[in-house]
Amino acid sequence: MGSLFRSETMCLAQLFLQSGTAYECLSALGEKGLVQFRDLNQNVSSFQRKFVGEVKRCEELERILAYLVQEINRADIPLPEGETSPPAPPLKQVLEMQEQLQKLEAELREVTKNKERLRKNLLELTEYTHVLRVSKAFVRRDMQFEPTYEEFPSLENDSLLDYSCMQRLGAKLGFVSGLINQGKAEAFGKTLWRACRGHSIVTHAELEGPLEDPETGEVIKWYVFLISFWGEQIGHKVKKICDCYHCHVYPYPNTAEERREIQEGLNTRIQDLYTVLHKTEDYLRQVLCKAAESVYSRVIQVKKMKAIYHMLNMCSFDVTNKCLIAEVWCPEADLHELRLALEEGSRQSGASIPSFMNTIPTKETPPTLIRTNKFTEGFQNIVDAYGVGSYREVNPALFTIITFPFLFAVMFGDLGHGFVMFLFALLLVLNEDHPRLSQSQEIVRMFFNGRYILLLMGLFSVYTGLIYNDCFSKSLNLFGSGWNVSAMYSSGHSPAEQRKMMLWNDSVIRHNRVLQLDPSVPGVFRGPYPLGIDPIWNLATNRLTFLNSFKMKMSVILGIIHMTFGVILGIFNHLHFRKKFNIYLVSIPELLFMLCIFGYLVFMIFYKWLVYSAETSRVAPSILIEFINMFLFPASDTGGLYPGQEHVQRLLLVITALSVPVLFLGKPLFLLWLHRGRSCFGVSRSGYTLVRKDSEEEVSLLGSQDIEEGNNQMEDGCREVTCEEFNFGEILMTQVIHSIEYCLGCISNTASYLRLWALSLAHAQLSDVLWAMLMRVGLRVDTTYGVLLLLPVIALFAVLTIFILLIMEGLSAFLHAIRLHCTRASHYCGLSRCGAQAPDAQAQRPWLTGPAAPRHVGSSRTGTRTRVPCIGRWTLNHCA
């Protein structure tokens, strides 16, 4: 718990690495993930560092491997995982691996280029065969479709396009054939007609099926065209127009014999190309399969090698340029492992002089390192999404493990829905070692990474569903109701009781549609339900009024407890950092302000629950009215909840009013008094100076000097403070802004916690509507057709339940639970209010990326105000 409650204790270590062993030592350190490096060459450009050439070599290898992975995926070859995290390659194998990869890339590019060339030739020959086949029908036509020339009567029985006929005429007739895109055919014909002025004839026909374009690879519809023209000038125009429209032009045979020879030659060449292309594809697949066996491991190895050289670029050389000096942050508990890793790296390199390390004192703030496992990682990510705590600050993730699923369950409370979510999460947990789950799509991987969060959310939803007594919008009568309806009949009571009480008889039952149960009648209310809400409320007409009153009060109670707990966590921070003045001047006034107002509201809720019974419930005052009168000081006596209530409330208001100026001015005035050389209590530092961006007064007070421990002359914890700069106005303004934010936030955040009530009500009503519109209709159908109708109704009910009530409503409750955590508990315990030192983001991973930078995170302060409903009486629907 110590590591999860606070971040790890860190120390600054200095590594002395021999030039020949630095690579192996950093490889061993990276495999264990022990350290975070500091950049000792911040003033040196990235292109002027020692190992920039090695980094460029790694980037070249990454480019080659990315090309290999792209080709492997294009060939639909599965990538074997191999070893999950192979170590970085030794320096002896780097050049060999680079040579192999470059040779493999050149071979793949050549084979791929040949394959594309063969494929393009095959497509062009296929197009040529279609052009010859379709254009053959254009040459000979029946006489009734062709015009004749009257001036040549001896040729009246010949077709105009007959070659022998044209030779007898002595005309210079030319032909152009080819393919054109279907969408360009109409415009192509018009352009030819206008450009050639009618001296060309265009004949076209659509191909039966689409063909692949050899240039773009797109499968489109084509038209085969045949253009006949007279004269060479017209022919040049025709060819230019064909080029403009990107037509695929092919030579047209002059005779039928030539056509037949070309057709036979094309068929032979197509068969040969098919054979060569298949052999080329088989060879290419063999090469890619062989490359796929090791590409996964090599990708990881190259990334690790690149990370090593990036870390080496952060090191500085000694005066002899034979030793590298590195500064790293390391947990104190892992110093022994750090020494072992350096010894292992030196042993692997075979160096005679081993590398070594020593710790150095520092005043800088160490990075935050919180160790997580597969269970706590998801909850830690929820906290880190708002901001990362400062070094050795209280980590709210430990408490988020309980509070987050509980607040979610308050909004999602349903026994059936929670059990379905629990089963889904349990299935993910039991199959967490399956490789396909961790490497699936982003949405599935998101659910898989949060499997333990889902597991607890489902488990807590089952619990709150039992408290609400709600299972798919229906109540469960497990222990028997505590209400007795038969005790309301007048026949079971004496005449005196019948005159004093409103009892039932046959006339009352006959003439009233709604009957009221009176708990003051003996025997009607036999005691509370053992677990949760009594199932009889599921039949009551005022069920919604009763549940609204219960859930609204419960939301206020949970919200005030949650916010108060956040302030208490801040006290642990002040105690740990020995800043006791913050406890007396900040935390205690904050607690008094919250508890004297909203804590008193919680007290009134519990007091009314415990003191007033069924007999006195009609005279019980309204909590809302009493809480408002607390601030209005009414002239008339309202009775109140208890004797002396007016004096207690005035005392609480006086304490609240006194805590506000202390909260506004206490800390700035104390720091001013401290700045003038007075003695103080509760300020000390040991080993480092914690500089947090959310305490500007401390930055101004400390400056660049340390706070030294002094003699214990006054109270325990007294210290002397020296400083160079002190800006009282800035400190006062910061404290005033924080105090105003806190005081207004107490009000808005308390109202914002009413979302627990609102979302719980919405979830219950959606579930009730879904049951009434589907299951109730299916169950009321006649037995003859009911069985046939019930199966699709149940299937539809299950689908809508999963998508609407589980996924959509679950996501809504999840987001609102995050909202309540990020802006309530995390804010009040001081987590990243304006910024925090970022942690070692890769502490659980083998490769680090250098020092962390401060993270600036804003906060939202919106809240929800909801009208308080009136509390109705106990009523029941009359059932015959």
Side-chain angles (χ1 to χ4, degrees):
M1 174 181 172
S3 176
L4 190 59
F5 183 71
R6 294 189 186 275
S7 60
E8 291 281 343
T9 304
M10 308 290 288
C11 66
L12 185 62
Q14 198 171 36
L15 308 183
F16 294 88
L17 309 173
Q18 301 298 322
S19 299
T21 64
Y23 180 88
E24 288 77 7
C25 291
L26 263 65
S27 176
L29 287 176
E31 292 296 335
K32 295 185 178 181
L34 299 176
V35 297
Q36 176 179 341
F37 283 79
R38 297 179 62 195
D39 192 358
L40 303 181
N41 302 314
Q42 294 182 358
N43 298 327
V44 181
S45 173
S46 300
F47 301 99
Q48 297 176 350
R49 301 198 179 190
K50 179 69 174 178
F51 300 95
V52 64
E54 286 77 3
V55 174
K56 290 182 179 179
R57 181 199 301 168
C58 295
E59 291 177 350
E60 176 65 18
L61 294 178
E62 284 184 336
R63 183 194 61 79
I64 296 175
L65 290 171
Y67 169 72
L68 293 178
V69 172
Q70 179 183 357
E71 294 297 324
I72 291 171
N73 292 332
R74 184 182 299 177
D76 293 331
I77 298 175
L79 284 172
E81 295 181 8
E83 191 177 354
T84 305
S85 181
L91 287 175
K92 302 176 182 178
Q93 300 179 4
V94 172
L95 294 177
E96 180 182 354
M97 183 175 66
Q98 182 180 6
E99 183 180 354
Q100 291 177 356
L101 290 177
Q102 289 176 349
K103 182 179 179 181
L104 181 60
E105 182 196 17
E107 184 179 5
L108 277 178
R109 289 190 181 278
E110 183 179 357
V111 175
T112 304
K113 185 177 180 181
N114 293 335
K115 175 191 169 184
E116 293 298 327
R117 188 184 299 113
L118 292 173
R119 182 171 162 273
K120 182 178 180 181
N121 292 338
L122 179 61
L123 292 175
E124 290 176 351
L125 295 179
T126 304
E127 288 182 352
Y128 198 7
T129 57
H130 286 290
V131 170
L132 294 177
R133 177 178 56 82
V134 176
S135 62
K136 184 179 180 180
F138 297 161
V139 179
R140 305 294 298 178
R141 294 182 180 270
D142 193 78
M143 285 289 299
Q144 58 181 343
F145 299 110
E146 297 293 340
T148 58
Y149 292 92
E150 296 296 334
E151 59 269 25
F152 298 101
S154 60
L155 301 176
E156 59 183 0
N157 295 326
D158 293 332
S159 174
L160 177 64
L161 295 179
D162 194 350
Y163 299 123
S164 59
C165 173
M166 299 309 300
Q167 291 174 359
R168 289 166 58 188
L169 288 171
K172 293 183 180 180
L173 182 63
F175 294 93
V176 174
S177 61
L179 294 174
I180 188 173
N181 192 343
Q182 182 183 15
K184 302 177 181 179
E186 184 177 355
F188 178 66
K190 292 181 179 179
T191 304
L192 281 174
W193 176 260
R194 292 173 181 174
C196 301
R197 298 181 180 180
H199 293 86
S200 63
I201 300 176
V202 181
T203 310
H204 58 79
E206 183 181 358
L207 285 180
E208 293 81 0
L211 292 178
E212 184 178 350
D213 191 348
E215 301 294 336
T216 63
E218 183 181 1
V219 179
I220 55 179
K221 296 285 290 183
W222 296 92
Y223 270 83
V224 177
F225 65 86
L226 177 63
I227 305 172
S228 57
F229 56 87
W230 288 267
E232 294 182 358
Q233 293 183 354
I234 300 298
H236 291 309
K237 288 184 179 180
V238 170
K239 292 177 182 179
K240 288 182 180 180
I241 293 173
C242 291
D243 292 338
C244 290
Y245 281 88
H246 302 285
C247 301
H248 298 173
V249 179
Y250 297 98
Y252 190 80
N254 295 325
T255 61
E257 184 66 24
E258 185 180 354
R259 177 192 299 273
R260 185 168 55 255
E261 292 178 359
I262 293 176
Q263 188 73 43
E264 292 175 355
L266 289 176
N267 293 334
T268 304
R269 291 179 61 188
I270 289 175
Q271 294 295 329
D272 295 341
L273 282 176
Y274 268 119
T275 305
V276 176
L277 186 60
H278 287 163
K279 290 183 178 181
T280 304
E281 290 177 348
D282 292 341
Y283 177 73
L284 180 62
R285 189 171 185 85
Q286 291 177 4
V287 174
L288 291 176
C289 289
K290 186 177 180 181
E293 296 176 358
S294 59
V295 68
Y296 179 82
S297 301
R298 288 186 173 180
V299 168
I300 298 177
Q301 286 182 326
V302 171
K303 288 182 179 179
K304 290 184 175 182
M305 184 169 58
K306 185 179 178 181
I308 290 175
Y309 287 118
H310 273 303
M311 296 303 107
L312 289 175
N313 279 330
M314 295 183 181
C315 304
S316 63
F317 282 87
D318 64 344
V319 291
T320 61
N321 285 334
K322 295 182 179 180
C323 179
L324 279 79
I325 302 175
E327 291 184 3
V328 297
W329 291 107
C330 178
E332 291 183 357
D334 293 337
L335 287 177
H336 179 66
E337 295 291 332
L338 176 58
R339 292 187 177 92
L340 293 179
L342 293 178
E343 294 176 1
E344 180 183 354
S346 301
R347 185 174 59 255
Q348 289 178 357
S349 63
S352 57
I353 302 177
S355 302
F356 60 95
M357 56 81 63
N358 64 334
T359 59
I360 55 177
T362 181
K363 298 177 183 179
E364 296 185 17
T365 304
T368 300
L369 171 63
I370 299 174
R371 300 186 191 272
T372 59
N373 51 39
K374 60 184 180 181
F375 177 76
T376 61
E377 183 180 5
F379 298 98
Q380 187 65 52
N381 290 335
I382 292 176
V383 175
D384 292 344
Y386 176 76
V388 181
S390 299
Y391 176 65
R392 298 295 291 167
E393 195 177 48
V394 171
N395 180 27
L398 175 64
F399 314 100
T400 305
I401 296 175
I402 299 300
T403 59
F404 182 83
F406 177 73
L407 291 182
F408 171 86
V410 170
M411 296 178 280
F412 193 75
D414 189 284
L415 176 61
H417 301 156
F419 187 69
V420 173
M421 181 180 293
F422 174 78
L423 290 180
F424 173 71
L426 184 63
L427 183 64
L428 293 179
V429 171
L430 295 178
N431 296 277
E432 62 183 8
D433 295 331
H434 199 285
R436 293 185 61 183
L437 286 176
S438 58
Q439 298 180 1
S440 54
Q441 297 180 355
E442 184 178 0
I443 296 180
V444 179
R445 189 167 61 252
M446 180 179 60
F447 282 106
F448 175 73
N449 293 335
R451 59 193 180 277
Y452 288 101
I453 301 178
L454 291 174
L455 186 72
L456 289 184
M457 290 193 307
L459 192 61
F460 276 79
S461 297
V462 171
Y463 168 73
T464 53
L466 288 174
I467 297 298
Y468 297 159
N469 202 350
D470 203 357
C471 180
F472 296 113
S473 77
K474 295 298 161 186
S475 298
L476 302 177
N477 192 1
L478 300 177
F479 306 101
S481 176
W483 293 80
N484 185 14
V485 179
S486 60
M488 287 295 298
Y489 285 90
S490 58
S491 59
H493 299 275
S494 62
E497 292 178 344
Q498 294 179 11
R499 287 191 297 270
K500 293 188 338 183
M501 303 175 185
M502 297 291 296
L503 301 178
W504 300 350
N505 51 37
D506 294 340
S507 176
V508 172
I509 295 175
R510 189 178 301 109
H511 294 91
N512 292 275
R513 298 183 60 185
V514 178
L515 300 175
Q516 176 179 330
L517 288 175
D518 189 355
S520 61
V521 176
V524 174
F525 184 67
R526 296 174 296 187
Y529 195 68
L531 179 63
I533 295 177
D534 198 296
I536 200 172
W537 284 103
N538 195 41
L539 304 174
T541 57
N542 62 339
R543 171 177 178 266
L544 192 59
T545 304
F546 168 74
L547 292 180
N548 280 342
S549 174
F550 166 73
K551 292 181 178 180
M552 181 192 65
K553 294 182 175 66
M554 178 192 65
S555 301
V556 173
I557 294 171
L558 293 178
I560 294 173
I561 292 175
H562 197 199
M563 292 187 294
T564 305
F565 180 69
V567 179
I568 294 174
L569 288 184
I571 296 178
F572 286 98
N573 286 334
H574 302 324
L575 290 174
H576 177 77
F577 295 122
R578 300 183 185 180
K579 295 190 292 185
K580 293 183 181 178
F581 64 90
N582 276 339
I583 299 177
Y584 302 120
L585 301 177
V586 178
S587 297
I588 291 179
E590 287 178 349
L591 285 174
L592 290 176
F593 182 86
M594 179 177 293
L595 295 180
C596 289
I597 298 179
F598 301 101
Y600 180 68
L601 176 62
V602 174
F603 164 76
M604 287 194 295
I605 293 174
F606 279 102
Y607 185 86
K608 184 176 180 181
W609 281 348
L610 296 176
V611 173
Y612 289 91
S613 62
E615 291 80 6
T616 59
S617 60
R618 297 181 185 274
V619 296
S622 170
I623 294 178
L624 180 61
I625 300 300
E626 295 296 326
F627 189 66
I628 294 175
N629 289 336
M630 177 180 175
F631 301 94
L632 298 181
F633 301 106
S636 59
D637 188 10
T638 58
L641 287 172
Y642 55 89
Q645 176 182 348
E646 181 179 356
H647 301 290
V648 173
Q649 291 178 351
R650 290 185 177 181
L651 177 62
L652 294 177
L653 288 178
V654 170
I655 295 175
T656 303
L658 293 177
S659 65
V660 172
V662 175
L663 190 61
F664 275 69
L665 302 175
K667 188 174 180 178
L669 292 177
F670 173 79
L671 292 176
L672 178 63
W673 175 67
L674 190 66
H675 169 69
R676 293 179 176 178
R678 302 298 182 181
S679 300
C680 68
F681 54 94
V683 181
S684 74
R685 290 290 185 274
S686 58
Y688 64 89
T689 299
L690 180 66
V691 180
R692 295 176 54 189
K693 295 192 180 295
D694 58 344
S695 50
E696 300 292 342
E697 77 288 342
E698 193 172 353
V699 178
S700 302
L701 182 63
L702 296 178
S704 60
Q705 298 193 15
D706 191 19
I707 299 178
E708 304 289 345
E709 294 190 4
N711 296 325
N712 242 346
Q713 298 177 356
M714 296 180 63
E715 300 179 0
D716 181 35
C718 288
R719 303 291 182 266
E720 291 183 2
V721 179
T722 59
C723 63
E724 293 181 354
E725 298 180 3
F726 182 78
N727 191 339
F728 178 75
E730 185 177 357
I731 294 174
L732 179 62
M733 185 60 64
T734 302
Q735 184 63 25
V736 168
I737 292 174
H738 166 68
S739 302
I740 294 175
E741 182 185 12
Y742 176 83
C743 296
L744 296 180
C746 288
I747 302 173
S748 63
N749 292 335
T750 302
S752 183
Y753 271 95
L754 293 176
R755 72 183 66 225
L756 298 174
W757 159 45
L759 267 75
S760 175
L761 174 65
H763 185 83
Q765 291 303 303
L766 280 175
S767 181
D768 192 20
V769 169
L770 193 61
W771 180 277
M773 295 182 63
L774 290 176
M775 292 301 296
R776 183 178 298 173
V777 174
L779 293 173
R780 287 182 176 180
V781 179
D782 188 14
T783 56
T784 306
Y785 305 101
V787 176
L788 298 177
L789 181 62
L790 194 58
L791 292 178
V793 167
I794 292 177
L796 182 59
F797 177 77
V799 171
L800 294 179
T801 298
I802 291 174
F803 283 96
I804 296 179
L805 296 178
L806 286 179
I807 297 179
M808 294 179 60
E809 280 289 309
L811 180 60
S812 175
F814 182 86
L815 294 177
H816 283 282
I818 291 179
R819 162 76 163 82
L820 294 176
H821 274 76
C822 289
T823 59
R824 305 303 184 278
S826 298
H827 174 81
Y828 286 110
C829 74
L831 178 63
S832 297
R833 187 171 302 136
C834 297
Q837 182 73 23
D840 176 6
Q842 310 232 359
Q844 299 300 321
R845 303 177 186 176
W847 300 101
L848 309 179
T849 57
R855 180 184 303 176
H856 299 274
V857 183
S859 60
S860 177
R861 284 279 170 189
T862 58
T864 304
R865 300 183 181 274
T866 309
R867 185 177 179 182
V868 180
C870 299
I871 301 175
R873 296 184 296 174
W874 292 274
T875 57
L876 288 174
N877 285 321
H878 171 61
C879 300

